[in-house]
Amino acid sequence: MSAREVAASAIQRHGDDLVTLSHFIHAHPELGYVEFESSAAVATLAEEAGFHLERGVADLPTAFRATMGDGDLNIVFCADLTHCPTWATRVVTTSLPRRPSGPPSVSARSPTN
């Protein structure tokens, strides 16, 4: 079995747990550097899946490194679970008006540009 097949199989086996985790994180927004509930939920799921956890990475209480096995293949999951309060209070559209010719006008750009 290839590494890709092994990874796909693991994701498929844990799919329901990953969706549940996603819903939990969405329902429990936390500000940067205080993502204690969401960090603990991700770490717990990783431990339950058999990963070895190293907590407090980079002197951050919410950061952790989860590892399993050894060898040449490394799969990295990197996530920033910070909630930004302004995102929840702002209306965001998926389609922006554009001029018929040329780039979007300044007023049509997203707030992050």
Side-chain angles (χ1 to χ4, degrees), residues 62-110:
T62 58
F64 63 88
R65 177 180 295 123
T67 58
M68 179 187 292
D70 55 20
D72 294 334
L73 176 63
N74 293 284
I75 298 172
V76 176
F77 170 75
C78 181
D80 183 349
L81 307 174
T82 303
H83 166 71
C84 181
T86 58
W87 292 345
T89 60
R90 186 171 40 180
V91 175
V92 178
T93 61
T94 55
S95 61
L96 299 172
R98 295 186 181 264
R99 290 188 214 157
S101 61
S105 67
V106 172
S107 63
R109 290 187 180 158
S110 72

Side-chain angles (χ1 to χ4, degrees), residues 44-63:
T44 298
L45 183 60
E47 280 181 316
E48 289 172 356
F51 285 84
H52 168 73
L53 256 68
E54 178 187 345
R55 297 177 190 270
V57 173
D59 293 326
L60 296 172
T62 58

